[in-house]
Amino acid sequence: MLLIRVATCNLNQWALDYESNTNRIIESIHVAKRQGARLRVGPELEITGYSALDSYFEVDTFSHSWNCLGRILQDESLHDIIIDVGMPVIHRNVRYNCRILILNGKILFIRPKTVLAADGNYRENRYFTPWTSHKLETFHLPLDLQESQGTLTVPIGEALLSLKDTTLGCETCQELFEVNAPHSSMSLNGCEIFTNSSGSEWNLRKLDLRLSLIMEATRKAGGVYLYANSRGCDGERTYFDGSCMIILNGKVIAQGSQFALSDVEVVSATIDLDEVRAFRCTPSRGMQATLAPHYERLEVDFKLSGASNMVTKHSPTKPISARYYLPEEEIALGPACYLWDYLRRSGASGFLLPLSGGIDSCATATIVHSMCRMVIEAIKDGDEQVIKDVKRLNRHSKELPKTPQELSNIIFCTIYMGMKTQSSKETQSRAFELAKAIGSFHQEVWIDDCFSAFKNIFTNATGYEPKFTVHGGNNASNLALQNIQARSRMVCAYEFAQLIPTSRWGDNVPGMLVLGSANVDECLRGYLTKYDCSSADINPIGSISKTDLKRLIKWAIDAFEIPVLGEFLDATPTAELEPITKEYVQSDEAQMGMTYDELSTFGILRKEQKLGPLGMFQRLANEWKEERGLKPRQVAEKVKRFYHYYAINRHKMTTMTPGIHAETYSPDDNRYDHRPFLLPPMYKSLDFKLIDQEVEKLEKATE
């Protein structure tokens, strides 16, 4: 039996907050040492914070990183443990995303990333170059490190660390997902321990894929796999979902939390290396190993097996069942953690939400309530950073809030903005009852005077009086009057967000952040008013489908003990921008000409499946014939209607509030889904002509 103890971590870093990032790195190393570990692995680009983006073009970013690394190298309390740290490095005037391997204040070698993440929200190839050489080169250290390191140079490139008792190799994030992942050839070269430092963002239902890949890597190759990740909002619209883990021969033996408010979380495990060697004892593997590409080895006078009393102090860590959340639980927890980071780091007093009585703003309010629940639990657990942040937000009182409702009343304001003839008593009542249940500071205001004033400006200037359709008006007038209401609510929301804290707590109190509530399907279809309440500071549900939001609400009824949420599920989605009459009540799906379920399908096929209008029709003509009994012409009409509205409304996405990224078919124009925003008329397009031809062929075939 040859026992070693190793550690990995989740860190809540903040892009460009160098000193605090370094403090968290140092704290994680101390925790790892207290847990008896002789190896500590950290997240990708942890010194800068992953989302430094175009700051990687600045030389200062690299010099600051070396300065912070110098702090770690000079700290003798961090000795007697191998430290794997992530930071950017310039080598021969080329920028690389690197791991720095350290022992006792000395740099062992620098390992650049070989495969860069360049899809979805990732743009690593904009800032860095992948390392393509399988050989080691010589890296010249910065001048101020040469003396303390006792050398002018250190190795840089791909290599294995050959310790006295085992061999260690590095993989970085995206490399794990590749067909020819480095761990395969490293394992055949005798590497027994793999470190993977990631900046992996949260997507709904993604953890299963990530975990299965890591498990499969060591299930085939054998070995110890240490996965580290960032966790939290580091300044961008993505939430990094942690889940650091240690896996042995395809089995999980340690797993960190996916959603939590703590800034530093370290997990460790005790491993018997003889289990790796026994697992690999097969003739077929031996034959492959003799033919594998060669890796250079760097000899290191250090052993992970450490103290002679390891066997008496620790026993091998047993496998555990991997932890997964339901999608509705992910929605409740992921955006909640993101909002807490955003709030505490922005310096704002809290959040303000226009609460309409509909399911979207209800879902946003539920997420904020989830955040308050997590904060109260963290206070009870004695989290010093959370307590410090709550004290700032609750500066007017010496007492810490004891319930989610008490905290909500301090930091969360909801506002119902109604119209006398458009807004129903049902939506007003639902908004009031939900606010009461979660404890928000709730306001009810009526915007009729504001609406009339804007309407009269145009009438007085032109002599033309616009009217709603139900009052005999035309479509242009009907839309204009709806948009006046919607945009008035945006102005009103920002006014209240700026002044509510002052009116409650006095002068010199920061304003509140305005939350948006446009779901991913409405963004995709463009079913919203530009610069209405979809315009906000942050949108917690901007990348979540209506279907998944309903799952959240249904789950939260019991999980959060809020019965009124059931009323939101049963209500017909409506914008309430047109007057209510006995014969007419506005309905979202009726006005859109498609259901939310259909919108989700269109979104997935467009983005995930990479289908254009023709390809989408061809796919759905078969699927919906079997599933829904639709004829080709009916399918064609639905697909064409979707693409028509998608094209004419695409411009709205250029101004959309940043939404927390959650869904793989998000139409977010700013980072994730880059498309032109001035598109040709779809009804004149080649795609639509070809769809019509396909319909005719299919109809003739069935005659």
Side-chain angles (χ1 to χ4, degrees):
M1 181 180 287
L2 181 58
L3 298 184
I4 63 171
R5 191 155 178 85
V6 294
T8 183
C9 64
N10 297 322
L11 295 185
N12 191 342
Q13 305 296 68
W14 191 4
L16 307 179
D17 187 13
Y18 296 96
E19 293 183 318
S20 296
N21 290 347
T22 305
N23 290 339
R24 285 183 282 269
I25 293 169
I26 291 173
E27 181 184 347
S28 72
I29 300 168
H30 284 150
V31 173
K33 290 188 67 176
R34 287 197 297 270
Q35 294 179 0
R38 303 269 284 175
L39 167 65
R40 174 270 183 198
V41 183
E44 184 176 8
L45 296 168
E46 57 189 310
I47 287 181
T48 56
Y50 183 84
S51 301
L53 303 180
D54 279 9
S55 294
Y56 291 122
F57 292 133
E58 301 166 6
V59 174
D60 283 356
T61 302
F62 294 82
S63 60
H64 293 339
S65 297
W66 281 111
N67 181 278
C68 293
L69 185 69
R71 279 184 57 196
I72 297 171
L73 294 169
Q74 294 165 18
D75 190 339
E76 294 185 4
S77 70
L78 307 180
H79 286 193
D80 299 320
I81 183 171
I82 292 178
I83 304 167
D84 184 346
V85 177
M87 61 175 261
V89 170
I90 297 178
H91 172 59
R92 298 179 183 175
N93 296 328
V94 180
R95 290 167 166 80
Y96 294 102
N97 176 349
C98 293
R99 310 300 308 165
I100 314 291
L101 279 294
I102 300 166
L103 175 63
N104 294 337
K106 302 296 182 183
I107 297 174
L108 300 176
F109 92 114
I110 301 172
R111 201 280 191 178
K113 193 172 184 179
T114 61
V115 181
L116 301 179
D119 58 351
N121 288 306
Y122 293 99
R123 299 286 182 275
E124 288 182 15
N125 56 356
R126 175 178 172 88
Y127 318 115
F128 303 114
T129 299
W131 184 268
T132 56
S133 171
H134 290 288
K135 299 180 180 179
L136 285 175
E137 296 181 4
T138 300
F139 176 81
H140 285 261
L141 290 167
L143 287 172
D144 53 355
L145 282 183
Q146 291 176 5
E147 183 176 350
S148 62
Q149 289 293 296
T151 180
L152 300 179
T153 64
V154 293
I156 183 173
E158 285 196 82
L160 301 177
L161 289 185
S162 183
L163 310 182
K164 295 171 73 173
D165 52 0
T166 187
T167 305
L168 183 150
C170 298
E171 220 170 40
T172 306
C173 198
Q174 182 69 25
E175 295 169 359
L176 167 68
F177 295 85
E178 298 304 305
V179 175
N180 188 22
H183 65 256
S184 298
S185 54
M186 285 193 292
S187 70
L188 293 173
N189 272 263
C191 180
E192 296 178 329
I193 301 173
F194 311 97
T195 68
N196 185 307
S197 305
S198 284
S200 187
E201 67 187 18
W202 170 61
N203 278 342
L204 276 170
R205 307 169 177 90
K206 179 182 178 181
L207 181 60
D208 179 55
L209 169 63
R210 187 192 306 158
L211 187 55
S212 64
L213 286 171
I214 299 174
M215 293 172 67
E216 186 63 25
T218 57
R219 186 179 289 120
K220 289 192 301 183
V224 183
Y225 205 102
L226 287 86
Y227 174 85
N229 195 16
S230 297
R231 187 183 62 205
C233 162
D234 75 343
E236 253 293 303
R237 64 197 68 210
T238 50
Y239 174 77
F240 296 98
D241 64 337
S243 306
C244 62
M245 61 190 80
I246 302 174
I247 295 180
L248 171 64
N249 296 340
K251 296 180 180 179
V252 180
I253 59 173
Q255 182 181 0
S257 56
Q258 186 177 10
F259 307 110
L261 303 184
S262 57
D263 284 346
V264 176
E265 180 183 15
V266 178
V267 299
S268 57
T270 301
I271 295 159
D272 181 5
L273 285 177
D274 285 346
E275 289 191 42
V276 177
R277 292 158 188 173
F279 186 91
R280 291 179 172 179
C281 189
T282 61
S284 59
R285 183 193 174 279
M287 179 61 70
Q288 287 182 303
T290 61
L291 302 173
H294 174 69
Y295 270 82
E296 293 192 52
R297 289 181 174 235
L298 298 171
E299 300 296 330
V300 181
D301 186 15
F302 186 77
K303 59 180 182 177
L304 294 186
S305 47
S308 58
N309 64 346
M310 173 71 78
V311 175
T312 58
K313 288 184 65 177
H314 301 281
S315 58
T317 305
K318 296 184 181 301
I320 61 173
S321 297
R323 295 192 302 274
Y324 300 99
Y325 289 101
L326 297 170
E328 48 267 40
E329 293 175 303
E330 289 190 67
I331 297 169
L333 298 173
C337 293
Y338 181 101
L339 287 178
W340 179 246
D341 282 342
Y342 197 103
L343 176 59
R344 68 192 181 102
R345 287 172 170 171
S346 70
S349 290
F351 296 115
L352 181 138
L353 172 67
L355 189 59
S356 68
I359 199 165
D360 292 333
S361 60
C362 163
T364 299
T366 302
I367 289 169
V368 176
H369 177 66
S370 176
M371 180 197 79
C372 292
R373 291 170 64 95
M374 297 181 76
V375 171
I376 295 300
E377 285 302 312
I379 291 174
K380 292 178 180 178
D381 292 340
D383 190 306
E384 294 181 3
Q385 184 60 54
V386 171
I387 292 171
K388 179 181 177 181
D389 292 326
V390 172
K391 284 182 176 178
R392 178 191 70 81
L393 292 163
N394 194 29
R395 69 189 76 188
H396 58 280
S397 173
K398 294 182 180 180
E399 297 290 328
L400 288 172
K402 295 179 175 58
T403 67
Q405 286 77 10
E406 287 182 20
L407 176 61
S408 180
N409 189 260
I410 297 165
I411 66 170
F412 189 33
C413 175
T414 51
I415 177 172
Y416 178 83
M417 295 177 280
M419 285 277 292
K420 296 295 184 183
T421 57
Q422 275 85 296
S423 303
S424 67
K425 291 181 179 180
E426 289 78 12
T427 55
Q428 181 184 2
S429 173
R430 286 198 298 269
F432 176 82
E433 292 299 328
L434 177 59
K436 181 180 177 181
I438 65 178
S440 65
F441 181 76
H442 188 62
Q443 298 281 293
E444 291 183 352
V445 300
W446 302 94
I447 63 169
D448 298 74
D449 291 343
C450 182
F451 168 77
S452 298
F454 273 108
K455 175 186 171 185
N456 290 337
I457 289 174
F458 184 81
T459 300
N460 293 337
T462 64
Y464 179 82
E465 182 179 1
K467 297 179 181 179
F468 287 105
T469 302
V470 295
H471 295 155
N474 57 32
N475 186 55
S477 296
N478 195 55
L479 286 175
L481 294 178
Q482 292 184 67
N483 289 341
I484 290 173
Q485 295 170 75
R487 291 177 177 135
S488 296
R489 290 189 172 105
M490 184 270 288
V491 174
C492 188
Y494 271 96
E495 178 188 11
F496 273 68
Q498 192 167 8
L499 296 177
I500 282 289
T502 300
S503 70
R504 295 185 73 192
W505 316 121
D507 297 340
N508 302 317
V509 181
M512 308 182 95
L513 297 164
V514 178
L515 297 179
S517 295
N519 64 65
V520 68
D521 299 320
E522 290 170 346
C523 294
L524 182 65
R525 162 63 170 72
Y527 187 66
L528 48 86
T529 300
K530 208 172 185 180
Y531 305 116
D532 66 349
C533 279
S534 63
S535 296
D537 294 308
I538 194 71
N539 182 0
I541 66 168
S543 183
I544 303 174
S545 71
K546 179 79 83 172
T547 301
D548 281 334
L549 291 176
K550 288 182 177 179
R551 293 182 64 167
L552 165 69
I553 300 305
K554 185 176 181 180
W555 170 83
I557 293 172
D558 294 326
F560 293 164
E561 298 179 338
I562 306 178
V564 71
L565 292 176
E567 297 181 21
F568 289 84
L569 281 176
D570 298 333
T572 300
T574 173
E576 288 196 338
L577 292 173
E578 296 182 79
I580 298 172
T581 68
K582 292 181 179 180
E583 295 79 23
Y584 178 75
V585 177
Q586 191 175 18
S587 165
D588 290 350
E589 291 186 334
Q591 286 208 323
M592 289 192 299
M594 58 194 75
T595 66
Y596 282 105
D597 179 61
E598 289 170 345
L599 267 173
S600 292
T601 299
F602 295 145
I604 291 169
L605 293 179
R606 182 194 70 94
K607 181 66 177 176
E608 290 185 26
Q609 301 298 317
K610 302 176 178 64
L611 296 178
L614 179 61
M616 186 183 294
F617 165 74
Q618 291 170 333
R619 175 77 63 85
L620 292 177
N622 288 318
E623 291 183 359
W624 283 0
K625 177 183 178 181
E626 297 177 2
E627 296 174 7
R628 309 183 185 189
L630 295 180
K631 296 179 180 179
R633 190 169 294 278
Q634 292 173 305
V635 176
E637 289 173 356
K638 288 179 178 292
V639 170
K640 289 161 75 173
R641 184 183 298 116
F642 163 70
Y643 267 102
H644 166 71
Y645 284 107
Y646 166 77
I648 66 173
N649 288 315
R650 180 63 192 177
H651 65 96
K652 295 180 181 179
M653 289 310 302
T654 64
T655 62
M656 285 302 296
T657 296
I660 301 170
H661 181 78
E663 189 58 79
T664 53
Y665 69 90
S666 169
D668 181 347
D669 180 77
N670 296 283
R671 289 287 186 278
Y672 189 73
D673 187 34
H674 292 191
R675 313 282 176 131
F677 58 85
L678 179 60
L679 290 166
M682 293 304 295
Y683 277 101
K684 297 180 180 179
S685 68
L686 177 61
D687 276 293
F688 279 23
K689 292 177 182 177
L690 293 174
I691 288 175
D692 291 338
Q693 292 175 16
E694 287 274 322
V695 169
E696 291 178 4
K697 290 179 183 178
L698 291 170
E699 289 178 339
K700 287 181 179 179
T702 58
E703 288 178 357

